[in-house]
Amino acid sequence: MLNKILIKTRRVIKKNSFENIKLCFQALIMHPAIFLKYKNIYKDKEIVIVGCGPTTKYFEPLNDKIYIGINRAYKLKNIKLNFLFAQDWLDEDDMIEANNYNKNYCKKFYGILSDSVSKKVFPRIKKIPKYHRIDANSYNYILNNYTAKNFEIDIAKKPISDLHGTVFSAMQFALYTNPKTIYLVGCDCTTGHFHKEQKNNPNADLSSHSHIWKQLKQHSEKYNPNTKIISINPVGLKGLFEDIYTQSYIKNNPEKTI
């Protein structure tokens, strides 16, 4: 009788639920050593999240800040990243550059995509190969299987929520450090990248992420009420957080700052 109940129960539970359990166990084993030391570590400091949107080229560096770069943000020559987050394979040459970027200074955090994401949801997205993780001496974090709808609070015990972009993984880390301020640079929530032209590439259009940024605002106001979030040269995020503009952006885009 017990056997029949167990078999029936397994049929009811969706397949990805078993994957969720596996990912939770992996995070419980791996994440304390990776993230626990960063809890509230930047309480009195300010963080700059550097994305790869077109407005990044107008960024004027801020002094005495913690810099967290997303994917190819390491290509910027006018800043020095403290952390670099990536979770999709960038391509061979760019992965090698990322691995070698300021090896003795910049800590690399490389996410591990679940099989549900890499094989079913977005089969064109490749996981970062193990040999690149070894070469970068990266901290490898677990992502959930794309079913979570909320930002994770305790990333030292649970998988980081996969919310359609590496920037949101970096934001979960940044909020975990509990900084005074988070500046958003190049998080344009629009089309294109600062480092090259992106034509007819659906992965380069991030305008559909606006609802996730709104969700992030609600999350931060609830769980990190003392952390101010500021958008520098906002485009798709204009009016969502506090907005400021650099002089170079105003000079080249006066109509967009009104």
Side-chain angles (χ1 to χ4, degrees):
M1 178 63 73
L2 181 59
N3 245 5
K4 289 181 179 179
I5 293 173
L6 288 173
I7 291 170
K8 189 175 181 179
T9 302
R10 286 188 178 184
R11 287 173 181 169
V12 173
I13 297 175
K14 291 181 179 180
K15 186 178 180 181
N16 65 5
S17 295
F18 290 105
E19 185 181 28
N20 272 337
I21 293 170
K22 183 184 81 170
L23 295 171
C24 285
F25 272 115
Q26 288 177 322
L28 194 58
I29 293 169
M30 295 170 59
H31 282 196
I34 298 172
F35 294 122
L36 196 55
K37 61 188 174 184
Y38 291 106
K39 186 174 183 178
N40 298 323
I41 194 172
Y42 297 135
K43 186 176 180 180
D44 299 316
K45 295 185 180 295
E46 297 185 307
I47 288 176
V48 181
I49 300 281
V50 186
C52 295
T55 64
T56 308
K57 61 188 177 184
Y58 297 111
F59 176 56
E60 297 163 8
L62 304 168
N63 295 326
D64 302 319
K65 306 290 186 280
I66 307 298
Y67 281 87
I68 302 177
I70 310 301
N71 296 328
R72 296 176 177 86
Y74 68 84
K75 290 180 178 289
L76 290 165
K77 305 301 182 184
N78 61 339
I79 61 172
K80 189 176 182 181
L81 299 176
N82 299 86
F83 304 96
L84 178 66
F85 273 72
Q87 53 201 42
D88 309 335
W89 183 73
L90 304 178
D91 72 36
E92 193 63 18
D93 290 341
D94 284 347
M95 284 303 317
I96 292 171
E97 283 185 30
N99 297 343
N100 291 325
Y101 173 80
N102 283 348
K103 268 195 170 181
N104 297 324
Y105 179 81
C106 178
K107 294 180 175 62
K108 316 294 167 40
F109 285 79
Y110 288 174
I112 300 176
L113 297 171
S114 70
D115 290 338
S116 293
V117 172
S118 60
K119 293 180 180 179
K120 297 176 184 177
V121 182
F122 293 115
R124 290 177 298 176
I125 293 177
K126 298 179 182 179
K127 290 185 176 184
I128 298 174
K130 185 176 180 180
Y131 66 90
H132 279 306
R133 298 177 186 279
I134 293 172
D135 185 41
N137 192 27
S138 65
Y139 296 93
N140 305 310
Y141 59 90
I142 301 296
L143 287 147
N144 67 22
N145 71 352
Y146 215 56
T147 58
K149 296 181 180 180
N150 300 308
F151 286 81
E152 184 53 61
I153 302 168
D154 194 354
I155 61 173
K157 293 181 180 178
K158 298 178 182 178
I160 283 182
S161 292
D162 190 342
L163 292 163
H164 302 259
T166 307
V167 65
F168 299 118
S169 297
M171 282 297 298
Q172 288 170 79
F173 170 75
L175 289 172
Y176 184 72
T177 69
N178 197 24
K180 181 171 64 175
T181 310
I182 296 176
Y183 296 90
L184 302 176
V185 175
C187 300
D188 295 346
C189 198
T190 185
T191 303
H193 295 107
F194 78 88
H195 49 84
K196 64 178 179 180
E197 291 293 325
Q198 295 281 354
K199 295 181 179 179
N200 301 319
N201 180 1
N203 293 325
D205 186 357
L206 304 179
S207 57
S208 63
H209 290 182
S210 59
H211 71 285
I212 306 175
W213 285 105
K214 291 175 183 177
Q215 183 183 334
L216 169 66
K217 181 179 181 180
Q218 294 172 350
H219 173 89
S220 63
E221 288 175 346
K222 182 176 181 179
Y223 295 104
N224 294 79
N226 296 321
T227 298
K228 180 188 289 188
I229 300 179
I230 298 173
S231 292
I232 297 181
N233 302 325
V235 182
L237 300 185
K238 186 175 180 179
L240 184 59
F241 305 105
E242 182 179 329
D243 300 337
I244 63 174
Y245 296 91
T246 60
Q247 289 303 311
S248 57
Y249 184 80
I250 293 172
K251 182 179 178 180
N252 288 275
N253 305 274
E255 76 288 352
K256 294 182 179 180
T257 61
I258 300 173

